[in-house]
Amino acid sequence: MPLALLALAVGAFGIGTTEFVIMGLLPEIAADYGVSIPTAGLLVTGYALGVVLGAPLLTVLGTKVSRKRMLMLLMGLFVLGNLVSALAPSFGMMLAGRVVASLAHGAFFGIGSVVAADLVAPDRKAGAIATMFTGLTIANIVGVPLGTYIGQAIGWRITFAGVAALGIVGLLGIAKLVPAMPRPEGAHLRRELTAFRNPQVLLAMAMTVLGFGGVFAAITYIAPMMTRVAGYSDGAVTWLLVLFGIGMFLGNLLGGKYADRKLMPMLYTTLGGLAVVLALFTLTAHNKALAAITIMLVGALGFATVPPLQKRVLDQAHGAPTLASAVNIGAFNLGNALAAWLGGMVITAGLGYTSPNWVGAVLAAAALVLAIWSAALERRTPVTATSAGTVAAPVPVHH
């Protein structure tokens, strides 16, 4: 794999750390600003919404410059947002810093996926995308626990300053290692929008919303589920999330490896397995050992869908992949927000802390149905070499 993928992975590590570390630091931040925990939770919601909105907006603006330059600008925006968060004198300014940092998230992974795929041969594209996303999965194993520890022991502002420093390292790595790629000929908004005329692109995005949403339905409420149902201590939740991160790391590697060989069968296996494991989680959550194993399996099966779904969008949006790729990153966060809301509803309805697992199982099963439907439509639709967004063909490689 080219060294340029390492630079993209470092950027992904920083982004993954800042996205998830906030969950472990909410009590400290709320206390410093004198706000309630639910109010501090707006820092999570605001970030997710910023990803959904920023992905298409900044990607559209990025069609006017080269992809390498846009990646550098996005990392600069990420650094700025985290510096604002680290120095914010008020909660409102802290929220603004979170939103600024989140705007870079979707566009970075969207454009980065296209760049990663362009750096390798056609039969290694999903593996290249998975290599970039490895940074995000390792963030959940190393960056988030370390950032949480530093934030609790020394101060949460130090954590965000450290994340900003990671962003600077990622920016310098992109400047040094990512080759200069000319702006694609004919790249403009109208052409990028043509990808959304392809039903297969929309189906892949719907699979993204439902499939990864299934993961977040359970993981959003993992702390009360593990402490009040499984019987773990509050301090053990951090290490359970590390197990989840390890599962994500392994699933990402497997997803990248096998999606380059048999993409749709890989999706059938992972989505079906995820639905079954989430359904079983309602039972295994009552046993400490089984719950820990299940959490790792949820991470593995959930993230094994990421490289194949991202590659599916790139293939189906051939000729105009950048905006579609970024919007698909936003779809992950849309699924997270939707699943967290649905999971909260069933808990509020009095169905218990394990009930979000059933929500997740239903969402993953629905994604599996869409995958089967997508493959059936593809078999019935003749392949034509016409406009962008109508052909399932590999993205051309630029050397």
Side-chain angles (χ1 to χ4, degrees), residues 163-233:
V163 172
L166 277 174
I168 292 173
V169 173
L171 191 157
L172 294 175
I174 291 168
K176 180 71 175 177
L177 298 175
V178 174
M181 294 180 172
R183 178 170 168 259
E185 294 182 15
H188 50 72
L189 177 58
R190 183 177 298 176
R191 183 177 181 183
E192 290 290 335
L193 288 174
T194 59
F196 296 92
R197 297 177 187 170
N198 184 354
Q200 292 289 0
V201 171
L202 301 179
L203 279 171
M205 290 178 179
M207 284 183 257
T208 296
V209 171
L210 296 172
F212 210 72
V215 174
F216 256 69
I219 295 303
T220 299
Y221 302 98
I222 198 70
M225 195 192 311
M226 290 299 97
T227 56
R228 302 185 188 186
V229 179
Y232 277 105
S233 66

Side-chain angles (χ1 to χ4, degrees), residues 211-300:
F212 210 72
V215 174
F216 256 69
I219 295 303
T220 299
Y221 302 98
I222 198 70
M225 195 192 311
M226 290 299 97
T227 56
R228 302 185 188 186
V229 179
Y232 277 105
S233 66
D234 291 342
V237 173
T238 298
W239 301 109
L240 290 170
L241 288 174
V242 170
L243 284 178
F244 175 69
I246 292 172
M248 290 172 64
F249 174 78
L250 296 174
N252 180 59
L253 292 182
L254 290 173
K257 179 179 180 180
Y258 289 103
D260 275 326
R261 300 178 183 178
K262 294 185 179 295
L263 192 150
M264 294 308 292
M266 182 66 187
L267 281 178
Y268 302 151
T269 303
T270 52
L271 291 172
L274 181 62
V276 171
V277 167
L278 285 169
L280 289 174
F281 202 7
T282 57
L283 301 176
T284 60
H286 295 271
N287 179 280
K288 286 185 177 181
L290 293 178
I293 294 169
T294 307
I295 288 169
M296 184 182 288
L297 286 174
V298 169

Side-chain angles (χ1 to χ4, degrees), residues 5-399:
L5 293 177
L6 176 62
L8 295 175
V10 170
F13 179 88
I15 290 173
T17 300
T18 205
E19 179 182 15
F20 292 105
V21 77
I22 191 74
M23 297 172 187
L25 298 176
L26 283 184
E28 288 75 16
I29 294 171
D32 275 6
Y33 288 123
V35 300
S36 67
I37 292 289
T39 298
L42 291 173
L43 298 173
V44 178
T45 306
Y47 189 96
L49 293 177
V51 175
V52 174
L53 296 174
L57 177 64
L58 289 177
T59 303
V60 166
L61 295 176
T63 60
K64 301 184 181 300
V65 299
S66 71
R67 287 170 179 157
K68 175 177 179 176
R69 180 173 297 180
M70 192 60 195
L71 287 172
M72 293 172 64
L73 290 172
L74 290 169
M75 287 310 300
L77 187 65
F78 172 79
V79 171
L80 174 63
N82 280 285
L83 284 177
V84 170
S85 294
L87 302 172
S90 66
F91 180 77
M93 187 63 73
M94 172 67 175
L95 180 58
R98 290 287 292 168
V99 171
V100 169
S102 72
L103 292 175
H105 181 128
F108 179 86
F109 281 111
I111 296 172
S113 294
V114 178
V115 170
D118 275 3
L119 289 169
V120 298
D123 62 345
R124 301 179 71 193
K125 291 183 182 298
I129 294 169
T131 300
M132 180 186 69
F133 275 101
T134 297
L136 178 63
T137 60
I138 292 178
N140 283 274
I141 302 172
V142 179
V144 172
L146 181 60
T148 301
Y149 174 78
I150 291 172
Q152 292 173 346
I154 304 175
W156 60 266
R157 295 182 186 275
I158 302 299
T159 296
F160 285 98
V163 172
L166 277 174
I168 292 173
V169 173
L171 191 157
L172 294 175
I174 291 168
K176 180 71 175 177
L177 298 175
V178 174
M181 294 180 172
R183 178 170 168 259
E185 294 182 15
H188 50 72
L189 177 58
R190 183 177 298 176
R191 183 177 181 183
E192 290 290 335
L193 288 174
T194 59
F196 296 92
R197 297 177 187 170
N198 184 354
Q200 292 289 0
V201 171
L202 301 179
L203 279 171
M205 290 178 179
M207 284 183 257
T208 296
V209 171
L210 296 172
F212 210 72
V215 174
F216 256 69
I219 295 303
T220 299
Y221 302 98
I222 198 70
M225 195 192 311
M226 290 299 97
T227 56
R228 302 185 188 186
V229 179
Y232 277 105
S233 66
D234 291 342
V237 173
T238 298
W239 301 109
L240 290 170
L241 288 174
V242 170
L243 284 178
F244 175 69
I246 292 172
M248 290 172 64
F249 174 78
L250 296 174
N252 180 59
L253 292 182
L254 290 173
K257 179 179 180 180
Y258 289 103
D260 275 326
R261 300 178 183 178
K262 294 185 179 295
L263 192 150
M264 294 308 292
M266 182 66 187
L267 281 178
Y268 302 151
T269 303
T270 52
L271 291 172
L274 181 62
V276 171
V277 167
L278 285 169
L280 289 174
F281 202 7
T282 57
L283 301 176
T284 60
H286 295 271
N287 179 280
K288 286 185 177 181
L290 293 178
I293 294 169
T294 307
I295 288 169
M296 184 182 288
L297 286 174
V298 169
L301 290 166
F303 223 83
T305 67
V306 175
L309 282 172
Q310 198 67 8
K311 184 175 184 289
R312 179 78 173 167
V313 169
L314 290 178
D315 287 349
Q316 299 296 333
H318 173 60
T322 311
L323 180 59
S325 176
V327 170
N328 197 49
I329 298 297
F332 282 106
N333 283 267
L334 181 61
N336 298 349
L338 172 65
W341 175 67
L342 291 173
M345 284 186 65
V346 294
I347 292 175
T348 303
L351 299 178
Y353 286 110
T354 61
S355 57
N357 298 329
W358 282 114
V359 173
V362 171
L363 291 175
L368 175 60
V369 171
L370 289 183
I372 295 170
W373 183 27
S374 175
L377 286 176
E378 193 169 37
R379 285 193 296 269
R380 293 204 306 262
T381 304
V383 177
T384 58
T386 54
S387 61
T390 59
V391 181
V395 181
V397 181
H398 300 291
H399 296 289

